[in-house]
Amino acid sequence: MDSKTRFTRADVMRIPAPEFTKTWHPVPHGEIIQSLDRVLKVRGVGVMQETYSITNKGANMFGAWTLDIGVEGKQIQMGFRNSISKQFAVGICAGTWIMVCSNMAFRGDFIEFRKHTSGLDMDTLLEI
């Protein structure tokens, strides 16, 4: 799966997540994407461009979206990362310029991380 560097949303959505344990609740990459998409739609924000990268045979996902905020000539970027192999916490960043890279560079005006613990659920992710 890692032979190419760019993936489509459909590629990412097909990656299954491992099962929960008592202390670790991996969130499938597809659920991260769907949740972010829902939140943006509720706020009237469109996605103009999407970029995805996968590493570690599908265990790690990195994404960047260019958002249409409805103001002529103005765009915001949103980046996110997720691991279903306990390598790192789910992260979301946003700003006028972001960097999300598989070498773990993660930058933006706003950055939030959340570990895949038993307290992580979709409501928590939507709050972020």
Side-chain angles (χ1 to χ4, degrees):
M1 175 167 278
D2 294 282
S3 62
K4 60 181 182 176
T5 58
R6 297 287 181 219
F7 293 81
T8 66
R9 180 184 284 218
D11 293 331
V12 177
M13 299 297 282
R14 284 192 289 270
I15 299 170
E19 293 192 26
F20 287 7
T21 68
K22 287 183 180 181
T23 59
W24 180 57
H25 286 208
V27 178
H29 305 320
E31 283 187 33
I32 299 289
I33 291 169
Q34 289 173 334
S35 296
L36 293 171
D37 211 22
R38 274 193 312 267
V39 168
L40 292 175
K41 283 181 182 171
V42 166
R43 288 171 172 74
V45 176
V47 178
M48 299 170 58
Q49 184 178 12
E50 303 176 43
T51 305
Y52 302 97
S53 182
I54 299 294
T55 64
N56 198 16
K57 298 180 182 173
N60 302 328
M61 182 264 307
F62 305 87
W65 290 355
T66 301
L67 306 179
D68 180 359
I69 58 172
V71 178
E72 186 75 28
K74 299 265 183 181
Q75 296 174 348
I76 298 291
Q77 293 182 312
M78 180 171 65
F80 44 92
R81 70 180 198 183
N82 189 48
S83 177
I84 53 175
S85 67
K86 300 183 183 181
Q87 191 170 351
F88 51 80
V90 62
I92 299 172
C93 67
T96 55
W97 181 87
I98 60 155
M99 182 170 52
V100 179
C101 188
S102 61
N103 72 2
M104 298 306 163
F106 199 72
R107 286 277 193 227
D109 298 325
F110 166 83
I111 299 176
E112 183 74 35
F113 296 107
R114 184 65 165 76
K115 290 183 180 180
H116 292 78
T117 62
S118 60
L120 180 61
D121 57 22
M122 292 317 294
D123 289 336
T124 304
L125 284 175
L126 292 175
E127 285 177 24
I128 294 173

